[in-house]
Amino acid sequence: MERILVSACLMGRAVRFDGRAKPTDHEIFLRWRDEGRLIPFCPEVVGGLPVPRPPAEIEDARGARAVLEGRARIRTPEGRDVTAFFLAGARAALHAALDQGVRLAVLKENSPSCGVHRVFDGSFTGTRTPGPGLTTLLLQDHGIDVFTEDELPQARKRLAELEAAEA
C-alpha cells in the first residue's frame, strides 16, 4: 500500500505558526486516513520551531531554490533569520518520506515549507508569489509528486497510477 506524506495541520494537528490547525474533511483524504496511508509531518516543528511562532516568509520573493542554494533567507516580520529551522525540517521530511517509500505528498498551500504552487512573497502583506515552499521543492527534487489540499482528485489519480504500475 502506497503511503502519503501529509502536512500535519491538514490532519487537525495544531502545529501552524498561529497555533491552529487547517484540517480537511475531504472524502478522499478521510478515506486515505482510514486506510492508514497518511504520514503526518510538520517540517517547521520537526525543524525546531515552537508553536505558536512568528510567521515567516522567503525574503524578497526569491523562492525556495534560492534558499536551498544559500542565496535567500527565510525571515520573520522582525527580520529574524529562521532559515536553518526550515532547512532542517525540509531535510527531515525528505528523510521520512524516503524511509517510508513515499512517492506522493499532500501539503498545505502558501506555506514557506509546504506551499506547492505559491508562497507568501516576504513582504508580510498577504501577497503571494508563484513557486513551491522549501519542503515541497526538496521532495520534488527527489521524484516525489506533491499536491495541495485542493488537488485531492488529482492526487487520487496519481496514486492509482503508482499502484497500477506496481501491480
Side-chain angles (χ1 to χ4, degrees):
M1 175 175 60
E2 287 285 331
R3 303 291 307 276
I4 304 165
L5 188 75
V6 299
S7 294
C9 62
L10 296 175
M11 294 281 297
R13 296 188 182 173
V15 294
R16 288 174 41 87
F17 77 94
D18 58 5
R20 297 175 25 202
K22 285 283 188 174
T24 182
D25 61 356
H26 194 286
E27 59 95 8
I28 293 171
F29 195 85
L30 297 177
R31 183 176 328 114
W32 288 345
R33 183 199 63 200
D34 294 344
E35 292 171 352
R37 292 181 183 274
L38 303 181
I39 302 169
F41 199 93
C42 178
E44 294 170 22
V45 170
V46 173
L49 291 169
V51 177
R53 59 189 170 273
E57 298 182 6
I58 300 171
E59 65 186 359
D60 303 323
R62 297 191 60 202
R65 179 72 61 204
V67 174
L68 276 180
E69 294 173 354
R71 297 181 289 109
R73 313 301 291 166
I74 300 175
R75 298 191 184 276
T76 67
E78 297 76 31
R80 179 175 174 227
D81 183 348
V82 291
T83 307
F85 298 106
F86 281 82
L87 285 168
R91 290 178 182 131
L94 175 62
H95 182 75
L98 294 176
D99 276 357
Q100 294 289 324
V102 166
R103 298 188 290 169
L104 183 73
V106 175
L107 303 181
K108 182 72 185 99
E109 188 68 292
N110 300 317
S111 158
S113 291
C114 298
V116 178
H117 303 294
R118 61 188 175 272
V119 296
F120 290 104
D121 73 351
S123 68
F124 297 94
T125 61
T127 305
R128 295 174 184 93
T129 187
L134 198 57
T135 297
T136 296
L137 181 62
L138 202 55
L139 293 173
Q140 290 172 332
D141 282 354
H142 287 82
I144 297 170
D145 295 312
V146 185
F147 297 87
T148 74
E149 70 275 17
D150 296 321
E151 298 174 321
L152 291 169
Q154 296 93 318
R156 177 178 55 195
K157 180 180 179 205
R158 181 64 182 139
L159 178 65
E161 292 168 356
L162 290 170
E163 290 184 331
E166 293 293 312

